[in-house]
Coordinates of all heavy atoms in Angstrom, one line a residue:
M195 N 9.8 11.6 6.3 CA 9.3 10.6 5.4 C 9.0 9.3 6.2 O 9.9 8.9 6.9 CB 10.3 10.3 4.3 CG 9.9 9.1 3.4 SD 10.8 9.1 1.9 CE 11.9 7.7 2.2
H196 N 7.9 8.7 6.0 CA 7.6 7.4 6.6 C 8.3 6.4 5.8 O 8.2 6.3 4.6 CB 6.1 7.1 6.6 CG 5.3 8.0 7.5 ND1 4.7 7.4 8.6 CD2 5.1 9.3 7.5 CE1 4.1 8.4 9.3 NE2 4.3 9.5 8.6
S197 N 9.0 5.5 6.4 CA 9.7 4.4 5.7 C 9.3 3.1 6.5 O 9.8 2.9 7.6 CB 11.2 4.6 5.7 OG 11.8 3.5 5.1
I198 N 8.5 2.3 5.9 CA 8.0 1.1 6.6 C 8.3 -0.1 5.7 O 7.8 -0.2 4.6 CB 6.5 1.3 6.8 CG1 6.2 2.6 7.6 CG2 5.9 0.1 7.5 CD1 4.7 2.9 7.5
T199 N 9.0 -1.0 6.2 CA 9.3 -2.2 5.4 C 8.2 -3.2 5.7 O 7.7 -3.3 6.7 CB 10.7 -2.8 5.8 OG1 10.7 -3.2 7.1 CG2 11.8 -1.8 5.5
A200 N 7.9 -4.0 4.6 CA 6.9 -5.0 4.7 C 7.2 -6.1 5.7 O 6.3 -6.8 6.1 CB 6.6 -5.5 3.3
D201 N 8.5 -6.3 6.0 CA 8.9 -7.4 6.8 C 8.8 -7.0 8.3 O 8.8 -7.9 9.1 CB 10.4 -7.8 6.6 CG 10.5 -8.3 5.2 OD1 9.6 -8.9 4.7 OD2 11.6 -8.1 4.6
R202 N 8.6 -5.8 8.6 CA 8.4 -5.5 10.1 C 7.0 -6.0 10.5 O 6.0 -5.9 9.8 CB 8.4 -3.9 10.2 CG 9.8 -3.4 10.0 CD 9.8 -1.9 10.4 NE 11.0 -1.4 9.9 CZ 11.2 -0.1 9.8 NH1 10.3 0.8 10.0 NH2 12.4 0.4 9.4
A203 N 7.0 -6.6 11.7 CA 5.9 -7.3 12.2 C 4.6 -6.5 12.2 O 4.5 -5.5 12.9 CB 6.2 -7.8 13.6
A204 N 3.7 -6.8 11.3 CA 2.4 -6.2 11.2 C 2.4 -4.7 11.2 O 1.4 -4.0 11.5 CB 1.5 -6.7 12.4
A205 N 3.5 -4.1 10.7 CA 3.5 -2.6 10.7 C 3.8 -2.1 9.3 O 3.9 -0.9 9.1 CB 4.6 -2.1 11.7
G206 N 3.9 -3.0 8.3 CA 4.4 -2.5 7.0 C 3.4 -2.4 6.0 O 2.3 -3.0 6.0
A207 N 3.7 -1.6 5.0 CA 3.0 -1.6 3.8 C 4.0 -1.5 2.7 O 5.2 -1.2 3.0 CB 2.1 -0.3 3.7
S208 N 3.7 -1.8 1.5 CA 4.7 -1.8 0.5 C 4.3 -1.0 -0.7 O 3.2 -0.9 -1.1 CB 5.0 -3.2 0.1 OG 3.9 -3.9 -0.3
R209 N 5.3 -0.4 -1.3 CA 5.1 0.3 -2.5 C 5.3 -0.7 -3.6 O 6.1 -1.5 -3.6 CB 6.2 1.4 -2.7 CG 6.1 2.2 -4.0 CD 7.2 3.2 -4.1 NE 8.5 2.6 -4.1 CZ 9.1 2.0 -5.1 NH1 8.5 1.9 -6.3 NH2 10.3 1.4 -5.0
V210 N 4.3 -0.7 -4.6 CA 4.4 -1.7 -5.6 C 5.2 -1.3 -6.8 O 5.3 -0.1 -7.1 CB 2.9 -2.1 -6.0 CG1 2.3 -1.1 -6.9 CG2 2.9 -3.5 -6.7
D211 N 5.8 -2.3 -7.5 CA 6.4 -2.0 -8.7 C 5.4 -1.7 -9.8 O 4.3 -2.2 -9.7 CB 7.2 -3.2 -9.2 CG 8.0 -3.9 -8.1 OD1 8.3 -3.2 -7.1 OD2 8.3 -5.0 -8.2
P212 N 5.8 -1.0 -10.9 CA 4.9 -1.0 -12.0 C 4.7 -2.4 -12.5 O 5.5 -3.3 -12.3 CB 5.6 -0.2 -13.0 CG 6.6 0.6 -12.3 CD 6.9 -0.2 -11.1
P213 N 3.6 -2.7 -13.2 CA 3.3 -4.1 -13.6 C 4.5 -4.6 -14.4 O 5.1 -4.0 -15.3 CB 2.1 -3.9 -14.5 CG 1.4 -2.7 -14.0 CD 2.5 -1.8 -13.5
G214 N 4.9 -5.8 -14.0 CA 6.0 -6.5 -14.6 C 7.4 -6.1 -14.2 O 8.4 -6.7 -14.5
A215 N 7.5 -5.1 -13.3 CA 8.9 -4.7 -12.8 C 9.2 -5.5 -11.6 O 8.4 -6.0 -10.9 CB 8.9 -3.2 -12.5
G216 N 10.5 -5.5 -11.3 CA 11.0 -6.2 -10.1 C 11.9 -5.4 -9.3 O 13.0 -5.7 -9.0
D217 N 11.4 -4.3 -8.8 CA 12.1 -3.3 -8.0 C 12.4 -3.8 -6.6 O 11.4 -4.0 -5.9 CB 11.4 -2.0 -8.0 CG 12.1 -0.9 -7.2 OD1 13.1 -1.1 -6.7 OD2 11.5 0.2 -7.2
P218 N 13.6 -4.1 -6.2 CA 13.9 -4.6 -4.9 C 13.6 -3.6 -3.8 O 13.5 -4.0 -2.6 CB 15.4 -5.0 -4.9 CG 15.9 -4.1 -6.0 CD 14.8 -3.9 -7.0
S219 N 13.4 -2.3 -4.1 CA 13.1 -1.3 -3.0 C 11.6 -1.1 -2.9 O 11.2 -0.1 -2.3 CB 13.8 0.0 -3.4 OG 13.2 0.6 -4.6
A220 N 10.8 -2.1 -3.3 CA 9.4 -1.9 -3.4 C 8.7 -2.1 -2.1 O 7.5 -2.0 -2.0 CB 8.8 -2.9 -4.4
D221 N 9.4 -2.3 -1.0 CA 8.7 -2.5 0.3 C 8.8 -1.4 1.3 O 9.1 -1.5 2.4 CB 9.3 -3.8 1.0 CG 9.0 -5.1 0.2 OD1 7.9 -5.1 -0.5 OD2 9.8 -6.0 0.2
E222 N 8.4 -0.2 0.8 CA 8.5 1.0 1.6 C 7.2 1.9 1.3 O 6.7 1.8 0.2 CB 9.7 1.8 1.4 CG 11.0 1.2 1.7 CD 12.2 2.0 1.4 OE1 12.0 3.2 1.2 OE2 13.3 1.5 1.4
A223 N 6.8 2.6 2.3 CA 5.8 3.6 2.1 C 6.5 4.9 1.8 O 7.6 5.2 2.3 CB 5.0 3.8 3.4
H224 N 5.9 5.7 0.9 CA 6.6 6.9 0.4 C 5.6 8.1 0.5 O 4.4 7.9 0.3 CB 7.0 6.7 -1.1 CG 8.1 5.7 -1.2 ND1 9.4 6.0 -1.0 CD2 8.1 4.4 -1.5 CE1 10.2 4.9 -1.2 NE2 9.4 3.9 -1.5
P225 N 6.2 9.3 0.7 CA 5.3 10.4 0.8 C 4.9 10.8 -0.6 O 5.6 10.6 -1.6 CB 6.2 11.5 1.5 CG 7.6 11.1 1.1 CD 7.5 9.6 1.1
D226 N 3.8 11.5 -0.8 CA 3.4 12.1 -2.1 C 3.9 13.5 -2.1 O 4.7 13.9 -1.3 CB 1.9 12.0 -2.3 CG 1.1 12.9 -1.4 OD1 1.7 13.6 -0.5 OD2 -0.2 12.8 -1.5
A227 N 3.5 14.3 -3.1 CA 4.0 15.6 -3.3 C 3.7 16.5 -2.1 O 4.4 17.5 -1.8 CB 3.4 16.2 -4.6
S228 N 2.6 16.2 -1.3 CA 2.3 17.1 -0.2 C 3.0 16.5 1.1 O 2.6 17.0 2.2 CB 0.8 17.1 0.0 OG 0.3 15.9 0.3
D229 N 3.9 15.6 1.0 CA 4.6 15.0 2.0 C 3.8 14.2 3.0 O 4.2 13.9 4.1 CB 5.4 16.1 2.8 CG 6.6 15.5 3.5 OD1 7.2 14.5 3.0 OD2 6.9 15.9 4.6
R230 N 2.6 13.7 2.5 CA 1.8 12.8 3.4 C 2.2 11.4 3.0 O 2.5 11.1 1.8 CB 0.3 13.0 3.2 CG -0.2 12.7 1.8 CD -1.6 13.1 1.7 NE -2.0 12.9 0.3 CZ -3.1 13.4 -0.3 NH1 -3.9 14.0 0.4 NH2 -3.3 13.2 -1.6
P231 N 2.1 10.4 3.9 CA 2.5 9.0 3.5 C 1.5 8.4 2.6 O 0.3 8.6 2.8 CB 2.6 8.3 4.9 CG 1.8 9.2 5.8 CD 1.8 10.6 5.3
V232 N 2.0 7.6 1.7 CA 1.1 6.9 0.8 C 1.6 5.4 0.8 O 2.8 5.2 0.6 CB 1.2 7.4 -0.7 CG1 0.4 6.5 -1.6 CG2 0.7 8.8 -0.7
W233 N 0.7 4.5 1.1 CA 1.1 3.1 1.2 C 0.6 2.4 -0.1 O -0.6 2.6 -0.5 CB 0.4 2.4 2.4 CG 0.9 2.9 3.7 CD1 1.9 2.4 4.5 CD2 0.3 4.0 4.4 NE1 2.0 3.2 5.6 CE2 1.0 4.2 5.6 CE3 -0.7 4.9 4.2 CZ2 0.8 5.1 6.6 CZ3 -1.0 5.9 5.1 CH2 -0.3 6.0 6.3
R234 N 1.4 1.6 -0.7 CA 1.0 0.8 -1.9 C 1.2 -0.6 -1.5 O 2.4 -1.0 -1.3 CB 1.8 1.2 -3.1 CG 1.3 2.6 -3.6 CD 1.9 3.0 -4.9 NE 1.4 4.3 -5.3 CZ 1.9 5.5 -5.0 NH1 3.0 5.5 -4.2 NH2 1.4 6.6 -5.4
V235 N 0.2 -1.4 -1.5 CA 0.3 -2.8 -1.1 C 0.2 -3.7 -2.3 O -0.8 -3.6 -3.1 CB -0.9 -3.2 -0.1 CG1 -0.8 -4.6 0.3 CG2 -0.8 -2.3 1.2
R236 N 1.2 -4.5 -2.5 CA 1.2 -5.4 -3.6 C 0.0 -6.3 -3.6 O -0.4 -6.8 -2.6 CB 2.5 -6.2 -3.6 CG 3.7 -5.5 -3.8 CD 4.9 -6.5 -3.7 NE 6.1 -5.7 -3.5 CZ 7.2 -6.0 -4.2 NH1 7.3 -7.0 -5.0 NH2 8.3 -5.3 -4.0
C237 N -0.5 -6.6 -4.8 CA -1.5 -7.6 -5.0 C -1.4 -8.1 -6.4 O -0.5 -7.7 -7.2 CB -2.9 -7.1 -4.7 SG -3.5 -5.8 -5.8
G238 N -2.3 -8.9 -6.8 CA -2.4 -9.4 -8.2 C -3.8 -9.2 -8.7 O -4.7 -8.9 -7.9
D239 N -4.0 -9.4 -10.0 CA -5.4 -9.4 -10.5 C -5.8 -10.8 -10.8 O -5.1 -11.8 -10.4 CB -5.5 -8.4 -11.7 CG -4.7 -8.8 -12.9 OD1 -4.2 -10.0 -12.9 OD2 -4.6 -8.0 -13.8
L240 N -6.9 -11.0 -11.4 CA -7.4 -12.3 -11.7 C -6.6 -13.2 -12.6 O -6.7 -14.4 -12.6 CB -8.9 -12.3 -12.2 CG -9.9 -11.8 -11.1 CD1 -11.3 -11.7 -11.8 CD2 -9.9 -12.7 -10.0
I241 N -5.7 -12.5 -13.4 CA -4.8 -13.3 -14.3 C -3.4 -13.1 -13.9 O -2.5 -13.2 -14.7 CB -5.1 -12.9 -15.8 CG1 -4.9 -11.4 -16.0 CG2 -6.5 -13.4 -16.2 CD1 -5.0 -11.0 -17.5
S242 N -3.2 -12.9 -12.6 CA -1.8 -12.8 -12.0 C -0.9 -11.8 -12.5 O 0.3 -11.9 -12.4 CB -1.2 -14.2 -12.2 OG -2.0 -15.2 -11.5
R243 N -1.4 -10.6 -12.9 CA -0.6 -9.5 -13.2 C -0.3 -8.7 -11.9 O -1.1 -8.7 -11.0 CB -1.2 -8.5 -14.2 CG -1.4 -9.2 -15.6 CD -2.1 -8.2 -16.5 NE -3.5 -8.1 -16.0 CZ -4.5 -7.4 -16.7 NH1 -4.2 -6.8 -17.8 NH2 -5.7 -7.3 -16.2
H244 N 0.9 -8.1 -11.8 CA 1.2 -7.3 -10.7 C 0.4 -6.0 -10.6 O 0.3 -5.3 -11.6 CB 2.7 -6.9 -10.7 CG 3.7 -8.0 -10.6 ND1 4.0 -8.6 -9.4 CD2 4.3 -8.7 -11.5 CE1 4.8 -9.6 -9.6 NE2 5.1 -9.6 -10.9
R245 N -0.3 -5.8 -9.5 CA -1.1 -4.6 -9.3 C -0.9 -4.2 -7.8 O -0.1 -4.7 -7.1 CB -2.6 -4.9 -9.5 CG -2.9 -5.4 -10.9 CD -2.7 -4.2 -11.8 NE -3.1 -4.5 -13.2 CZ -2.2 -4.7 -14.2 NH1 -1.0 -4.6 -14.0 NH2 -2.7 -5.0 -15.4
C246 N -1.6 -3.1 -7.4 CA -1.5 -2.6 -6.0 C -2.8 -2.0 -5.6 O -3.6 -1.5 -6.4 CB -0.3 -1.7 -5.9 SG -0.6 0.0 -6.6
V247 N -2.9 -2.0 -4.3 CA -4.0 -1.2 -3.6 C -3.3 -0.1 -2.9 O -2.3 -0.3 -2.2 CB -4.8 -2.1 -2.6 CG1 -5.8 -1.2 -1.8 CG2 -5.5 -3.2 -3.3
T248 N -3.7 1.2 -3.1 CA -3.1 2.3 -2.6 C -3.9 2.9 -1.4 O -5.2 2.9 -1.5 CB -2.9 3.4 -3.6 OG1 -2.2 2.9 -4.7 CG2 -2.2 4.6 -3.1
V249 N -3.3 3.3 -0.3 CA -3.9 3.8 0.9 C -3.3 5.1 1.2 O -2.1 5.2 1.2 CB -3.8 2.8 2.1 CG1 -4.4 3.4 3.3 CG2 -4.3 1.4 1.8
F250 N -4.1 6.1 1.4 CA -3.6 7.4 1.9 C -4.7 8.1 2.7 O -5.8 7.7 2.8 CB -3.0 8.3 0.8 CG -4.1 8.8 -0.2 CD1 -4.7 10.0 -0.1 CD2 -4.4 8.0 -1.3 CE1 -5.6 10.4 -1.0 CE2 -5.3 8.4 -2.3 CZ -5.9 9.6 -2.1
V251 N -4.3 9.2 3.4 CA -5.2 10.0 4.2 C -5.5 11.3 3.6 O -4.5 12.0 3.2 CB -4.7 10.1 5.7 CG1 -5.6 11.0 6.5 CG2 -4.5 8.8 6.3
D252 N -6.7 11.7 3.5 CA -7.1 13.0 2.9 C -8.2 13.6 3.7 O -9.2 13.0 3.9 CB -7.5 12.8 1.4 CG -7.8 14.1 0.7 OD1 -7.0 15.1 0.8 OD2 -8.9 14.3 0.1
A253 N -7.9 14.8 4.2 CA -8.9 15.5 5.0 C -9.5 14.7 6.2 O -10.7 14.7 6.4 CB -10.0 16.1 4.1
G254 N -8.6 13.9 6.8 CA -9.0 13.2 8.0 C -9.8 11.9 7.6 O -10.3 11.2 8.5
E255 N -9.8 11.5 6.4 CA -10.4 10.2 5.9 C -9.4 9.3 5.3 O -8.5 9.8 4.6 CB -11.6 10.5 5.0 CG -12.7 11.3 5.6 CD -13.8 11.5 4.7 OE1 -13.6 11.6 3.5 OE2 -15.0 11.7 5.2
V256 N -9.5 8.0 5.4 CA -8.7 7.1 4.8 C -9.2 6.8 3.4 O -10.4 6.5 3.3 CB -8.6 5.8 5.6 CG1 -7.7 4.7 4.9 CG2 -8.0 6.1 7.0
V257 N -8.4 6.9 2.4 CA -8.8 6.6 1.0 C -8.1 5.4 0.5 O -6.9 5.2 0.6 CB -8.4 7.8 0.1 CG1 -8.8 7.6 -1.3 CG2 -8.9 9.1 0.7
L258 N -8.9 4.5 -0.1 CA -8.4 3.3 -0.7 C -8.6 3.4 -2.2 O -9.6 3.7 -2.7 CB -9.2 2.0 -0.3 CG -9.0 1.5 1.1 CD1 -10.0 0.4 1.4 CD2 -7.6 0.9 1.2
V259 N -7.5 3.1 -3.0 CA -7.6 3.2 -4.4 C -7.2 1.8 -4.9 O -6.0 1.3 -4.7 CB -6.6 4.2 -5.0 CG1 -6.8 4.3 -6.5 CG2 -6.9 5.6 -4.4
G260 N -8.1 1.1 -5.5 CA -7.8 -0.2 -6.1 C -7.2 -0.1 -7.5 O -7.2 0.9 -8.1
P261 N -6.8 -1.3 -8.0 CA -6.4 -1.3 -9.4 C -7.5 -0.8 -10.3 O -8.7 -1.2 -10.1 CB -6.1 -2.8 -9.7 CG -5.9 -3.4 -8.3 CD -6.8 -2.6 -7.4
P262 N -7.2 0.1 -11.2 CA -8.3 0.7 -12.1 C -9.1 -0.3 -12.8 O -8.6 -1.1 -13.6 CB -7.5 1.6 -13.0 CG -6.1 1.5 -12.7 CD -5.9 0.5 -11.6
G263 N -10.4 -0.4 -12.5 CA -11.3 -1.2 -13.2 C -11.0 -2.7 -13.0 O -11.4 -3.5 -13.8
E264 N -10.3 -3.1 -12.0 CA -9.9 -4.5 -11.8 C -10.1 -5.0 -10.4 O -10.5 -4.3 -9.5 CB -8.4 -4.6 -12.1 CG -8.0 -4.3 -13.5 CD -6.6 -4.6 -13.9 OE1 -6.1 -5.6 -13.3 OE2 -6.0 -3.9 -14.7
T265 N -9.9 -6.2 -10.3 CA -10.0 -6.9 -9.0 C -8.6 -7.0 -8.3 O -7.6 -7.2 -9.0 CB -10.5 -8.3 -9.2 OG1 -11.8 -8.3 -9.8 CG2 -10.6 -9.1 -7.9
A266 N -8.6 -6.8 -7.0 CA -7.3 -7.0 -6.3 C -7.4 -8.4 -5.6 O -8.2 -8.6 -4.8 CB -7.1 -5.9 -5.3
R267 N -6.4 -9.2 -5.9 CA -6.3 -10.6 -5.3 C -5.1 -10.5 -4.4 O -4.0 -10.3 -4.8 CB -6.2 -11.6 -6.4 CG -5.9 -13.0 -5.8 CD -5.7 -14.0 -6.9 NE -7.0 -14.6 -7.2 CZ -7.2 -15.3 -8.3 NH1 -6.3 -15.6 -9.2 NH2 -8.4 -15.8 -8.5
L268 N -5.4 -10.7 -3.1 CA -4.3 -10.6 -2.1 C -4.0 -11.9 -1.4 O -5.0 -12.6 -1.1 CB -4.6 -9.6 -1.0 CG -4.7 -8.1 -1.5 CD1 -6.1 -7.7 -1.9 CD2 -4.2 -7.2 -0.4
T269 N -2.7 -12.2 -1.3 CA -2.4 -13.4 -0.5 C -2.5 -13.1 1.0 O -2.8 -11.9 1.4 CB -0.9 -13.8 -0.7 OG1 -0.1 -12.7 -0.2 CG2 -0.6 -14.0 -2.2
H270 N -2.4 -14.1 1.8 CA -2.5 -13.8 3.3 C -1.5 -12.8 3.8 O -1.8 -11.9 4.5 CB -2.3 -15.1 4.0 CG -2.4 -15.0 5.5 ND1 -3.6 -14.9 6.1 CD2 -1.5 -15.0 6.5 CE1 -3.5 -14.8 7.4 NE2 -2.2 -14.9 7.7
S271 N -0.2 -12.8 3.3 CA 0.7 -11.8 3.7 C 0.5 -10.4 3.2 O 0.6 -9.4 3.8 CB 2.2 -12.3 3.4 OG 2.3 -12.4 2.0
Q272 N 0.0 -10.4 1.9 CA -0.4 -9.1 1.3 C -1.6 -8.5 2.1 O -1.6 -7.3 2.3 CB -0.8 -9.2 -0.1 CG 0.5 -9.6 -1.0 CD 0.1 -10.0 -2.4 OE1 -1.0 -10.5 -2.6 NE2 1.0 -9.8 -3.3
L273 N -2.5 -9.3 2.5 CA -3.7 -8.9 3.3 C -3.2 -8.3 4.6 O -3.7 -7.3 5.1 CB -4.7 -10.0 3.5 CG -6.0 -9.6 4.1 CD1 -6.7 -8.5 3.4 CD2 -6.9 -10.8 4.3
G274 N -2.2 -9.0 5.2 CA -1.6 -8.4 6.5 C -1.0 -7.1 6.3 O -1.2 -6.2 7.2
R275 N -0.3 -6.9 5.2 CA 0.3 -5.6 4.9 C -0.8 -4.5 4.7 O -0.7 -3.4 5.1 CB 1.3 -5.6 3.8 CG 2.5 -6.4 4.2 CD 3.6 -6.3 3.2 NE 3.3 -6.9 1.9 CZ 3.6 -8.2 1.6 NH1 4.0 -9.0 2.6 NH2 3.3 -8.7 0.5
L276 N -1.9 -4.9 4.0 CA -3.0 -4.0 3.8 C -3.6 -3.6 5.1 O -3.9 -2.4 5.4 CB -4.0 -4.6 2.8 CG -5.3 -3.7 2.6 CD1 -4.9 -2.3 2.0 CD2 -6.3 -4.4 1.6
R277 N -3.8 -4.6 5.9 CA -4.4 -4.3 7.3 C -3.5 -3.4 8.1 O -4.0 -2.4 8.7 CB -4.6 -5.6 8.0 CG -5.2 -5.5 9.4 CD -5.3 -6.8 10.1 NE -6.0 -7.8 9.4 CZ -5.5 -9.0 9.0 NH1 -4.3 -9.3 9.4 NH2 -6.3 -9.9 8.3
A278 N -2.2 -3.6 8.0 CA -1.3 -2.7 8.7 C -1.3 -1.3 8.2 O -1.3 -0.3 8.9 CB 0.1 -3.3 8.7
A279 N -1.4 -1.2 6.8 CA -1.4 0.2 6.2 C -2.7 0.9 6.6 O -2.7 2.1 6.9 CB -1.3 0.0 4.7
L280 N -3.9 0.1 6.6 CA -5.1 0.7 7.0 C -5.1 1.2 8.5 O -5.6 2.3 8.8 CB -6.3 -0.2 6.8 CG -6.6 -0.5 5.3 CD1 -7.6 -1.6 5.2 CD2 -7.2 0.8 4.7
D281 N -4.5 0.3 9.4 CA -4.4 0.7 10.8 C -3.6 2.0 11.0 O -4.0 2.9 11.7 CB -3.8 -0.4 11.6 CG -4.8 -1.6 11.8 OD1 -6.0 -1.4 11.6 OD2 -4.3 -2.7 12.1
E282 N -2.5 2.0 10.3 CA -1.6 3.2 10.4 C -2.3 4.4 9.8 O -2.2 5.5 10.4 CB -0.3 2.9 9.8 CG 0.8 3.9 10.2 CD 2.2 3.4 9.9 OE1 2.4 2.2 9.8 OE2 3.0 4.3 9.6
A283 N -2.9 4.3 8.7 CA -3.6 5.4 8.1 C -4.8 5.9 9.0 O -5.0 7.1 9.1 CB -4.1 5.0 6.7
A284 N -5.5 5.0 9.6 CA -6.6 5.3 10.5 C -6.0 6.1 11.7 O -6.6 7.2 12.1 CB -7.3 4.1 11.0
D285 N -4.9 5.7 12.2 CA -4.3 6.5 13.3 C -3.9 7.9 12.9 O -4.1 8.9 13.6 CB -3.1 5.8 13.9 CG -3.4 4.5 14.6 OD1 -4.6 4.3 15.0 OD2 -2.5 3.7 14.8
L286 N -3.4 8.0 11.7 CA -3.0 9.3 11.1 C -4.2 10.2 10.9 O -4.1 11.4 11.2 CB -2.1 9.1 9.9 CG -1.5 10.3 9.3 CD1 -0.4 10.9 10.3 CD2 -0.8 9.9 8.0
A287 N -5.3 9.6 10.4 CA -6.5 10.3 10.1 C -7.1 10.9 11.4 O -7.8 12.0 11.3 CB -7.5 9.5 9.4
E288 N -6.9 10.3 12.5 CA -7.5 10.7 13.8 C -6.8 11.9 14.4 O -7.3 12.5 15.3 CB -7.5 9.6 14.8 CG -8.6 8.5 14.4 CD -8.5 7.3 15.4 OE1 -7.6 7.3 16.3 OE2 -9.4 6.5 15.3
R289 N -5.6 12.2 13.9 CA -4.8 13.3 14.5 C -5.3 14.6 14.1 O -5.9 14.9 13.2 CB -3.3 13.2 14.0 CG -2.6 12.0 14.5 CD -1.2 12.0 14.1 NE -0.6 10.7 14.4 CZ 0.5 10.3 13.9 NH1 1.2 11.0 13.1 NH2 1.0 9.1 14.3

């Protein structure tokens, strides 16, 4: 299982809490049912609700899933975590 904390220098992605939740373990990447890593990067929407952007690799391609029908507003640090998740997913997709 990939376990990446958001505090690690430019290497982290974070699993997001469900909207409104405050899960302290939310800063890790977790595998899905097929044991592939899935990164969930915290963000907000236009009215400051908790949302996430999800990143995973499928058939050698990096897949981004945004909040359903919404906008993802990312802070500078959230953008850094998204960048790190994309970099790591791109490396995994090339294997």
